[in-house]
Amino acid sequence: MIYNYKKYIFKKFLISLIKVTIVFTSVIVIMNLFEEIGFFKDSDEFILLPLYLTLLNAPSVLFEIFPFIFLIGTLFFFIEIIDREEINILKLNGITNLKIIQILSLLSFIIGLLILIFFYNISSNLKFFYFDLKNQYTKDDKYLAVVTSNGLWIRDEVDEKINYINAEKLENDKLLDVTISQFNQDFKLTKVIISKKVDIKTNTWILYNPIVNSDNYSESYEKLEFFSNFDEERMLSIFDNLSSLDLFKLGELKKDYQMLGYNTEMLNGYKHRLYSYPLYLAMMVCIGSILMLNIKHNKSKVVSITLGIALSVIIYYINYFFNVIIETKDVPYLTSIWGPQIILSLIIITNLIRINEK
């Protein structure tokens, strides 16, 4: 049986979260709508399509900022119960500061699980539709790259020549076991180039020991330059949109990564970031609670909210720093993802020891 005070705390906290979520959602929609309108400014689809795309993209953005919504929602929760002297009433009835934090963090953890299981899978699929629809209106519709069971496939149009490029593996800045089928504008095959290794650091690819086959000849070279609209950076960008993949598709993508020989550290790191999401929300609530219970009650709301926003920015950059570490490959992804969580946990534990004295 849930005590009445627990129901009361649940209700007040959920109302604070809903209010902050509505505000952030409104800001996301307005800012994203202006961005989409700017993208379609030369198109006939001036309002309806940008609005539709904004609605598809908004849940994914909201998922990314939920930790900060929970932090700021916690600040508003405590501002209200402190202003109304309700926190003193709770203390008179034996409800300690630590007990309040336990209730809020447990509720946040459960909500985080629900967000991860249901909201994330919905938002990621909406994000997939967003990318799929928006790509139809990009200026790069002549240049496509996909991963299939047969490796990496690229459609690349250069100087009225259409190139279909297939590679078995992507290893650092090299494509391995590459076949380039070149067609003219009438889709007549004019040339086939086969190379065991291709350097793709720049748009001017270097083909090593290629064999060039056409109707009239077959010739081998030691090295051959080949211009493409894709370089290493653009090639790797096809793996970057992990937020558009639900939990099931992430598992399938890992198989594709392994098949291509592509480094799975970023993918593993992203999956662990999702696994840690409910705990992350609970910790943000703990931090917000500790912040509010450690400042003087006569502090203005502006000061409290400003401190919360500043703390959110600091935590964001700590996470960003550890995410960048994954790309350097100097630190295992487990350390890179769970490192910030460990740091935050130590800060929380240290402050919880003294929290009941407030």
Side-chain angles (χ1 to χ4, degrees), residues 39-101:
F39 182 85
F40 288 99
K41 62 183 178 180
D42 298 325
S43 172
D44 295 333
E45 307 284 351
F46 188 67
I47 293 295
L48 293 181
L49 184 58
L51 179 60
Y52 179 58
L53 287 171
T54 296
L55 296 177
L56 289 178
N57 190 43
S60 179
V61 179
L62 194 62
F63 178 82
E64 295 295 329
I65 64 173
F66 261 135
F68 309 109
I69 290 176
F70 272 69
L71 175 60
I72 296 174
T74 303
L75 300 183
F76 278 103
F77 167 79
F78 276 100
I79 286 173
E80 186 170 352
I81 66 171
I82 288 173
D83 284 349
R84 295 184 178 183
E85 300 292 334
E86 292 172 350
I87 191 167
N88 293 328
I89 296 174
L90 290 172
K91 287 180 179 179
L92 289 174
N93 285 275
I95 312 303
T96 64
N97 290 336
L98 185 59
K99 187 65 178 178
I100 295 174
I101 295 176

Side-chain angles (χ1 to χ4, degrees), residues 231-293:
D231 57 7
E232 180 188 8
E233 181 179 355
R234 186 171 184 180
M235 193 79 70
L236 294 180
S237 69
I238 67 173
F239 301 101
D240 287 346
N241 297 323
L242 298 180
S243 61
S244 65
L245 302 175
D246 59 34
L247 295 173
F248 301 104
K249 291 177 181 176
L250 285 172
E252 296 174 2
L253 181 63
K254 185 175 182 179
K255 296 178 182 178
D256 293 335
Y257 273 35
Q258 292 170 338
M259 176 189 65
L260 282 173
Y262 181 64
N263 181 23
T264 60
E265 292 290 284
M266 283 294 293
L267 178 59
N268 290 330
Y270 183 79
K271 291 172 70 174
H272 275 265
R273 186 164 72 88
L274 292 179
Y275 299 154
S276 68
Y277 194 81
L279 181 61
Y280 188 29
L281 294 183
M283 287 193 294
M284 295 295 275
V285 169
C286 288
I287 291 173
S289 302
I290 292 169
L291 176 65
M292 292 302 300
L293 292 171

Side-chain angles (χ1 to χ4, degrees), residues 16-281:
S16 294
L17 282 182
I18 291 171
K19 288 180 179 178
V20 176
T21 301
I22 291 173
V23 172
F24 273 85
T25 302
S26 301
V27 173
I28 290 170
V29 169
I30 292 171
M31 292 181 65
N32 205 160
L33 182 59
F34 279 115
E35 181 180 342
E36 298 299 341
I37 289 175
F39 182 85
F40 288 99
K41 62 183 178 180
D42 298 325
S43 172
D44 295 333
E45 307 284 351
F46 188 67
I47 293 295
L48 293 181
L49 184 58
L51 179 60
Y52 179 58
L53 287 171
T54 296
L55 296 177
L56 289 178
N57 190 43
S60 179
V61 179
L62 194 62
F63 178 82
E64 295 295 329
I65 64 173
F66 261 135
F68 309 109
I69 290 176
F70 272 69
L71 175 60
I72 296 174
T74 303
L75 300 183
F76 278 103
F77 167 79
F78 276 100
I79 286 173
E80 186 170 352
I81 66 171
I82 288 173
D83 284 349
R84 295 184 178 183
E85 300 292 334
E86 292 172 350
I87 191 167
N88 293 328
I89 296 174
L90 290 172
K91 287 180 179 179
L92 289 174
N93 285 275
I95 312 303
T96 64
N97 290 336
L98 185 59
K99 187 65 178 178
I100 295 174
I101 295 176
Q102 287 176 342
I103 294 171
L104 295 180
S105 58
L106 178 60
L107 177 60
S108 300
F109 185 84
I110 293 172
I111 294 174
L113 284 176
L114 296 175
I115 290 174
L116 180 61
I117 295 171
F118 297 104
F119 186 84
Y120 173 75
N121 284 313
I122 293 172
S123 67
S124 61
N125 281 286
L126 291 177
K127 187 82 168 184
F128 180 85
F129 293 140
Y130 168 81
F131 282 129
D132 187 50
L133 181 58
K134 193 168 182 178
N135 284 341
Q136 297 177 25
Y137 293 88
T138 63
K139 297 179 181 180
D140 293 341
D141 57 343
K142 296 180 180 179
Y143 322 124
L144 303 172
V146 295
V147 178
T148 72
S149 59
N150 294 319
L152 178 67
W153 284 91
I154 301 169
R155 182 186 187 276
D156 190 12
E157 187 169 337
V158 180
D159 296 331
E160 298 186 350
K161 297 177 182 176
I162 303 171
N163 301 309
Y164 286 91
I165 304 163
N166 175 234
E168 287 192 8
K169 287 184 179 294
L170 173 60
E171 191 173 274
N172 298 322
D173 56 2
K174 304 289 192 303
L175 289 177
L176 304 182
D177 295 323
V178 178
T179 301
I180 303 173
S181 301
Q182 192 170 90
F183 296 80
N184 60 24
Q185 290 295 309
D186 296 324
F187 283 96
K188 180 180 179 181
L189 182 64
T190 60
K191 189 184 298 182
V192 175
I193 306 173
I194 300 173
S195 177
K196 289 290 184 182
K197 184 171 65 173
V198 177
D199 187 320
I200 60 169
K201 287 180 184 177
T202 66
N203 293 102
T204 302
W205 293 5
I206 306 297
L207 284 64
Y208 294 94
N209 301 313
I211 300 174
V212 180
N213 298 300
S214 71
D215 292 337
N216 301 322
Y217 68 90
S218 177
E219 190 170 353
S220 300
Y221 299 86
E222 183 177 346
K223 285 185 181 181
L224 185 65
E225 291 188 351
F226 179 85
F227 182 82
S228 171
N229 290 292
F230 288 84
D231 57 7
E232 180 188 8
E233 181 179 355
R234 186 171 184 180
M235 193 79 70
L236 294 180
S237 69
I238 67 173
F239 301 101
D240 287 346
N241 297 323
L242 298 180
S243 61
S244 65
L245 302 175
D246 59 34
L247 295 173
F248 301 104
K249 291 177 181 176
L250 285 172
E252 296 174 2
L253 181 63
K254 185 175 182 179
K255 296 178 182 178
D256 293 335
Y257 273 35
Q258 292 170 338
M259 176 189 65
L260 282 173
Y262 181 64
N263 181 23
T264 60
E265 292 290 284
M266 283 294 293
L267 178 59
N268 290 330
Y270 183 79
K271 291 172 70 174
H272 275 265
R273 186 164 72 88
L274 292 179
Y275 299 154
S276 68
Y277 194 81
L279 181 61
Y280 188 29
L281 294 183

